Amino acid sequence: GNNPQGIRIGGPGGMRSAVRIAEMRQFRNYRSDITLDTRQMKMALKQLRKLNRIGLEDELDLDKTIDATCKNAGELEFKWRRPRKNTVKLLLIMDAGGSMEPYADLCSQLFSAANSLSHFRSFKYFYFHNCPYDVLYTDIQQRKGIPIEKILKTHEPDYKVVFVGDACMAQSELHDRFGDIYFHGYQKLAGVDRLKQFKNHFTHTVWLNPERSVLRNYPTVRTIGKLFPMFELTLDGLNDAVKKLATKR
C-alpha cells in the first residue's frame, strides 16, 4: 500500500510510484539451470540460426565425392564445399525488478533456453530494472554493471536484441533524466533516450512482454511499443518475435 506521503510500504513497484523508494530493493538474477518446459523455447530460438557459407571451399563433401567417383567409373574425383558456420549473435536484456517477480520462473525458462543453446556465434545477457538507464547489469544482485556506451561500442549492430520486461512504469521513470528510482545516482540520459540508442544502433530488436493485461493500454507500454515490435512472452509470441528477428531489415 501507500502512505499519505507517497512512499511505498509494500507490494509491487514499477509503474506503481514515481517517488524514490525508502529502502533498497533486493534484485535477483534469473536462473540458468531450469530444464523444465524449456524445450519448446529452445526450438523457437533455434529458428534464429543462419548458417552461412564462409571462406574457401576447404571442406570435403563426402557424399558428392562418392557420387562423382561412381559416375567416373571408379576414378576418384574430390568434391569440396565451404564450411557452414552459424553467424547469429544474440543479446538478451531482461527486467529483473519487483513488478517482474510474478514472471520470474517464466523468464528463467527463457534465459535457461537461450543460455544452454550452442547454436549462436555469441550469446550475451544483461539485466535492468524497469528501463535501461546509464548501466546494464551482468549481475543485478551484486550491482555489477557495464555502461551502455561501452556495450554499444563493443557489440556490433547485427546482434539480435531481445528485451524482456513488462514495460510498465511511471511516465517519469521512462521520460525523466533522473527517472531511476531504485539505483540512485547521476543519469546522463532518460530511459527512453537509452532505448532509442538501442533502436538506432542495432538492426533487429524486439520486446517480449509477459504482462498481457496491460500490453496495449498502459502509456509507457505504448511508448516502448512504438520503438520496438512488442510480443507477448508466450510460445506463440516468442515464435513471432523470432520470425521478426530473422527477417531482413
Side-chain angles (χ1 to χ4, degrees):
N2 295 296
N3 72 4
Q5 282 72 42
I7 301 295
R8 186 172 59 81
I9 304 302
M15 67 175 176
R16 327 346 196 180
S17 175
V19 298
R20 293 192 176 275
I21 305 306
E23 58 179 342
M24 282 297 292
R25 290 294 308 274
Q26 294 299 313
F27 299 93
R28 62 183 176 125
N29 302 320
Y30 292 125
R31 292 173 58 187
S32 61
D33 60 345
I34 302 294
T35 56
L36 187 64
D37 299 327
T38 59
R39 186 183 64 84
Q40 289 180 311
M41 287 185 174
K42 285 184 182 181
M43 294 300 293
L45 290 170
K46 282 181 180 179
Q47 297 178 64
L48 277 175
R49 289 180 298 175
K50 182 180 180 183
L51 297 177
N52 289 342
R53 297 191 181 277
I54 299 175
L56 301 174
E57 294 185 354
D58 55 1
E59 185 176 284
L60 181 65
D61 190 324
L62 187 58
D63 290 336
K64 289 185 178 179
T65 295
I66 293 174
D67 289 341
T69 300
C70 290
K71 290 176 182 178
N72 288 345
E75 183 177 344
L76 188 60
E77 181 178 345
F78 291 107
K79 293 293 184 181
W80 303 90
R81 65 186 176 195
R82 283 177 291 175
R84 290 158 64 87
K85 296 183 179 179
N86 190 6
T87 61
V88 172
K89 296 174 287 186
L90 179 64
L91 188 57
L92 185 61
I93 307 175
M94 300 164 286
D95 185 349
S99 63
M100 289 290 290
E101 187 66 27
Y103 313 107
D105 288 343
L106 181 61
C107 290
S108 286
Q109 289 168 12
L110 176 64
F111 175 47
S112 183
N115 192 50
S116 62
L117 283 176
S118 59
H119 301 282
F120 302 123
R121 177 181 168 189
S122 175
F123 169 63
K124 303 285 186 64
Y125 63 89
F126 296 99
Y127 296 101
F128 64 93
H129 178 264
N130 273 354
C131 185
Y133 295 107
D134 288 355
V135 172
L136 291 180
Y137 296 88
T138 54
D139 187 330
I140 200 165
Q141 288 174 275
Q142 301 298 323
R143 306 291 199 270
K144 294 179 180 178
I146 299 178
I148 283 180
E149 281 90 351
K150 183 175 180 179
I151 292 172
L152 295 176
K153 287 180 180 178
T154 56
H155 292 76
E156 296 86 354
D158 60 345
Y159 266 86
K160 310 290 187 182
V161 181
V162 178
F163 283 99
V164 182
D166 59 15
C168 297
M169 65 200 83
Q171 291 272 40
S172 60
E173 291 177 87
L174 181 63
H175 294 282
D176 288 1
R177 181 176 160 195
F178 298 102
D180 183 356
I181 65 173
Y182 291 100
F183 296 163
H184 303 280
Y186 174 81
Q187 285 175 219
K188 296 179 181 178
L189 294 174
V192 68
D193 294 322
R194 290 300 185 190
L195 292 177
K196 289 177 181 177
Q197 286 184 315
F198 279 90
K199 178 180 176 64
N200 293 332
H201 180 75
F202 295 102
T203 60
H204 291 76
T205 304
V206 297
W207 189 291
L208 293 175
N209 195 326
E211 177 62 83
R212 300 190 205 180
S213 63
V214 298
L215 190 56
R216 296 180 181 86
N217 298 323
Y218 200 77
T220 56
V221 177
R222 291 201 302 266
T223 298
I224 293 173
K226 290 178 182 178
L227 292 176
F228 309 114
M230 188 176 288
F231 304 90
E232 292 183 4
L233 184 48
T234 61
L235 187 58
D236 287 343
L238 180 59
N239 275 302
D240 289 341
V242 166
K243 290 177 183 176
K244 184 67 175 179
L245 290 172
T247 58
K248 294 182 179 180
R249 191 173 185 180

